[in-house]
Amino acid sequence: MSRTIKFALAGGPGVLEFIDMEVPAPGPHEIRIRVKAIGINRADSMWRNDKYTERVRFPAGLGYDAAGIVDAVGKDVSDFAIGDAVSTVPAFSLNKYFTYGEVILAPDHAVVKHPDSLSFVEAASVWMMFLTAYGALVFDAQVQARDFVIIPAASSSVGLAAIQIANYAGATPIALTRTSDKTKRLREAGAAHVVATQEQDMVAEVMRITNGHGARLAFDPVGGADFPKLIAALTNQGIAYIYGALSEDDTPIPVLEMIRKMTTIKGYSIRLVTGDDARRKVAVEYVTKGLASGALRPIIDRIFKFDDMVNVHRYLENSGQFGKIVVTL
């Protein structure tokens, strides 16, 4: 039996329910994991509200990120054995698999052995944040030295990962944050420049930093009314990736500005790399090497207990965290 969290209707954190359920033996190409830590993502909140990229089938589970010990392996699983320390990669439908439970099933293609240097808490925080940033910046944009990368919501887990990925690739990250309260911590996390958007003219600051050329990339989880400012801060033929919708406002598209600059706007999802076997393997190897070298490191905001999951979701939705929220079991 496993104590598991599910929800039977969309809504606020209060819809989350603890239930006891039997987790079956793993089927072909499945692994059963006894969970030690769960990474919390903004996607979990969107899924709970049925406002994600996939519609929810109720009753539903939640969660992409977890770390733990292999409890059983199914037929045709060859790379894992009982007792292995592993973590999950976001490469599955939440309508089929989930990580909010004491014991979970996962497809073997979405399970990796994490480096010995990582704790379970750190391992549960790695894959969503770093693979999301890797897919846009490295795989798709092929970011390199001399590139400037604008990173809105820079204190989020993915924002901090994007700062590190940009540095790892030799580029220059420009972190955006609402106020200057987090400037020191963002610099310590690797941001070459920090712009407080409620206190400074973001476009003017980016132009100053880039000697009037603008940034090549923007990696945006926000959208909303300020999105045209990101386009204005890009260089000629720059690329704006939009991978989230933290703002509930409409996102205007500055058509004439885009025509003048020949700007590209790309809707982006981690599925670009995790949805393909070959791409996922390369991405995992890239992040693993970065972790081993110390160039990449998970930044943990706060650790909660599994019993506190409702309050965890309330904390998540306050958007005040700096790094990854993790729950331990």
Side-chain angles (χ1 to χ4, degrees):
M1 298 296 291
S2 168
R3 194 158 176 253
T4 300
I5 294 175
K6 289 201 169 184
F7 63 111
L9 71 165
V15 303
L16 300 179
E17 297 181 292
F18 288 87
I19 65 170
D20 290 320
M21 61 175 288
E22 184 174 352
V23 180
H29 291 290
E30 286 186 333
I31 295 173
R32 194 169 66 193
I33 302 168
R34 191 164 297 278
V35 176
K36 299 294 185 180
I38 300 167
I40 308 300
N41 299 296
R42 176 63 62 170
D44 302 352
S45 172
M46 296 176 70
W47 178 252
R48 194 199 68 233
N49 281 288
D50 199 9
K51 293 181 179 179
Y52 199 48
T53 54
E54 180 182 8
R55 298 307 302 270
V56 178
R57 294 201 300 265
F58 299 104
L62 306 92
Y64 281 115
D65 281 328
I69 302 294
V70 173
D71 178 72
V73 296
K75 182 182 177 183
D76 300 322
V77 174
S78 58
D79 295 332
F80 300 91
I82 294 171
D84 284 345
V86 297
S87 49
T88 58
V89 172
F92 49 82
S93 166
L94 289 176
N95 278 317
K96 188 170 183 181
Y97 298 101
F98 53 86
T99 62
Y100 282 24
E102 293 174 334
V103 180
I104 62 171
L105 289 176
D108 62 353
H109 71 260
V111 178
V112 299
K113 296 177 183 178
H114 62 261
D116 293 338
S117 60
L118 296 184
S119 66
F120 284 116
V121 166
E122 290 169 328
S125 70
V126 164
W127 298 111
M128 176 66 88
M129 56 191 278
F130 283 116
L131 293 184
T132 298
Y134 164 90
L137 302 186
V138 177
F139 172 78
D140 196 69
Q142 299 180 34
V143 68
Q144 55 192 304
R146 297 185 301 278
D147 284 341
F148 288 87
V149 183
I150 302 172
I151 304 170
S155 59
S156 69
S157 59
V158 175
L160 293 169
I163 289 172
Q164 295 183 41
I165 290 283
N167 281 324
Y168 191 30
T172 302
I174 303 173
L176 304 190
T177 184
R178 285 174 291 184
T179 70
S180 56
D181 294 347
K182 297 177 180 178
T183 296
K184 182 175 183 293
R185 296 176 72 187
L186 286 167
R187 287 190 178 278
E188 291 172 346
H193 306 275
V194 180
V195 180
T197 57
Q198 292 180 359
E199 303 170 11
Q200 298 171 282
D201 183 325
M202 186 273 288
V203 178
E205 282 298 301
V206 171
M207 288 301 170
R208 179 188 64 78
I209 291 164
T210 61
N211 294 318
H213 297 294
R216 178 171 169 248
L217 303 172
F219 185 55
D220 181 34
V222 181
D226 286 339
F227 186 72
K229 294 181 181 179
L230 288 180
I231 304 302
L234 292 178
T235 191
N236 187 51
Q237 298 185 55
I239 306 171
Y241 290 91
I242 186 160
Y243 69 95
L246 294 180
S247 173
E248 295 183 356
D249 298 332
D250 290 339
T251 301
I253 303 299
V255 175
L256 292 179
E257 178 86 355
M258 289 175 57
I259 292 172
R260 181 176 69 82
K261 288 187 171 182
M262 294 180 286
T263 307
T264 299
I265 296 176
K266 287 191 172 186
Y268 167 73
S269 164
I270 192 175
R271 294 193 306 276
L272 182 66
V273 291
T274 61
D276 178 271
D277 287 344
R279 293 177 183 177
R280 183 175 59 251
K281 181 179 179 181
V282 172
V284 168
E285 289 175 351
Y286 182 95
V287 172
T288 300
K289 288 179 181 178
L291 292 167
S293 72
L296 305 180
R297 60 181 180 88
I299 296 175
I300 310 301
D301 172 76
R302 188 170 170 184
I303 300 172
F304 290 82
K305 294 295 186 182
F306 189 52
D307 286 347
D308 295 331
M309 191 63 83
V310 171
N311 288 329
V312 170
H313 272 239
R314 292 186 179 124
Y315 180 72
L316 172 71
E317 292 179 348
N318 285 333
S319 300
Q321 66 267 24
F322 190 93
K324 190 81 166 186
I325 302 168
V326 180
V327 169
T328 57
L329 289 81

